[in-house]
Amino acid sequence: MTVTHAPAVESRLGAQSLTLGYTDTAVVHDLDLRVPHGRISVIVGANACGKSTLLRGLARLLKPRAGTVLLDGGSIHRLPTRQVARTLGLLPQNPVTPEGVTVVDLVSRGRHPHHGAFRRWTSEDDAAVSEALALTDTLGLADRVVDELSGGQRQRVWIAMALAQGTDLLLLDEPTTYLDVAHQVEMLDLLAELNARRGTTIVMVLHDLNLSARYADHLVAMREGRIVAEGPPREVVTEDVVRTVFGLENRVIDDPVSHTPLVVPVSRHVPAPKAMEDR
């Protein structure tokens, strides 16, 4: 199979010869990546291929075993924590909610990186929190305790906190978890609008390959801790790549709505069409 490599791009965040892992097991192996600046990048692949591990490494939650994560040309691990937090926001997979915290209090915590020893809460902070609540349709939940919300509502609240942080780079691990199909599209539309309006660089891990192809400017396909292919969805989402990455027989057609690649699985058992009833 021919591996698709991304062309040289302007990038503020990336990885160079990066190896990541847990205890004695390496999960990401000698990986190079340049995240296109001002674009939406989506990382896809089968379960346990290293998608979330790579995102955690880019967010400085995992220390590299080898190689470097680069932010604005320097090692992210050598930068002050507050500087990184003002530049890069993260929504991890299954975040832990503090007990008893209300929605507005949780979202307000996204403003903490902007506060130093002498900076108090300002009207700018109020505006950022209100806008994040409005964008995620959680304004009506502001006084509710987060633990009392449904899974989908909680997910939108956590995304609101990430938006309130107001960073130029936003990393999200499965941001559509717990959301039904309508809210998945709504949330991805919101992130696409954020990218278009503010120029926010967004990196997401998604399971749904067709939604990934629809919303990504840059698609990164991983298998066993390595990048198999990356680039525009039209170049990455091919029958050969899908077969290699997911082990799935498939056909790739044109999405009639977005005109992006649409993967149609080929089942081992295709039921025969039912005969039409006599009229």
Side-chain angles (χ1 to χ4, degrees):
M1 190 194 81
T2 302
V3 177
T4 305
H5 294 285
V9 293
E10 181 185 359
S11 175
R12 296 182 61 193
L13 178 68
Q16 191 173 71
S17 302
L18 183 65
T19 296
L20 299 164
Y22 307 94
T23 60
D24 296 328
T25 305
V27 178
V28 170
H29 308 275
D30 195 26
L31 183 146
D32 292 326
L33 176 68
R34 290 172 60 84
V35 173
H37 176 61
R39 311 295 280 176
I40 297 176
S41 296
V42 179
I43 306 171
V44 298
N47 289 341
C49 73
K51 304 185 299 293
S52 294
T53 299
L54 174 58
L55 200 75
R56 287 172 58 83
L58 293 175
R60 206 173 77 163
L61 296 182
L62 274 180
K63 187 175 181 179
R65 294 185 168 198
T68 310
V69 174
L70 298 170
L71 178 62
D72 291 329
S75 170
I76 195 171
H77 289 274
R78 296 179 180 175
L79 297 175
T81 299
R82 189 174 295 275
Q83 180 181 337
V84 174
R86 288 174 178 172
T87 306
L88 188 151
L90 171 70
L91 175 64
Q93 197 175 50
N94 300 319
V96 178
T97 305
E99 185 177 357
V101 71
T102 64
V103 168
V104 68
D105 286 340
L106 181 63
V107 175
S108 296
R109 295 185 183 200
R111 302 302 299 165
H112 287 180
H114 301 278
H115 294 170
F118 303 104
R119 187 183 184 280
R120 298 182 181 275
W121 191 267
T122 67
S123 58
E124 180 183 349
D125 297 314
D126 282 327
V129 171
S130 296
E131 181 182 21
L133 290 168
L135 284 171
T136 53
D137 195 24
T138 53
L139 197 56
L141 304 174
D143 296 325
R144 295 275 302 276
V145 174
V146 177
D147 284 339
E148 297 175 355
L149 304 179
S150 69
Q153 289 172 326
R154 285 198 301 272
Q155 189 72 355
R156 285 188 281 140
V157 169
W158 277 103
I159 291 174
M161 191 192 80
L163 296 182
Q165 196 170 335
T167 59
D168 296 329
L169 288 156
L170 190 57
L171 277 57
L172 305 108
D173 194 355
E174 294 291 347
T176 57
T177 300
Y178 307 119
L179 302 180
D180 58 36
V181 174
H183 281 105
Q184 286 181 38
V185 172
E186 182 180 295
M187 188 54 59
L188 293 171
D189 280 345
L190 165 63
L191 294 171
E193 180 183 351
L194 183 71
N195 167 259
R197 190 171 65 186
R198 298 183 182 175
T200 304
T201 301
I202 295 173
V203 185
M204 291 186 282
V205 169
L206 291 179
H207 270 300
D208 191 309
L209 184 55
N210 289 329
L211 285 178
S212 300
R214 176 176 286 196
Y215 285 92
D217 300 305
H218 186 79
L219 203 59
V220 179
M222 292 185 64
R223 181 174 183 269
E224 296 179 352
R226 293 179 170 85
I227 294 175
V228 171
E230 64 173 314
R234 181 67 64 184
E235 296 178 10
V236 172
V237 182
T238 66
E239 294 175 9
D240 192 20
V241 169
V242 172
R243 190 179 301 111
T244 298
V245 171
F246 293 96
L248 178 69
E249 289 300 324
N250 68 99
R251 299 292 180 268
V252 176
I253 63 175
D254 193 61
D255 187 316
V257 175
S258 62
H259 302 291
T260 52
L262 181 70
V263 177
V264 180
V266 176
S267 174
R268 292 185 180 89
H269 171 68
V270 180
K274 294 181 180 179
M276 294 181 64
E277 295 181 0
D278 292 334
R279 294 181 181 272

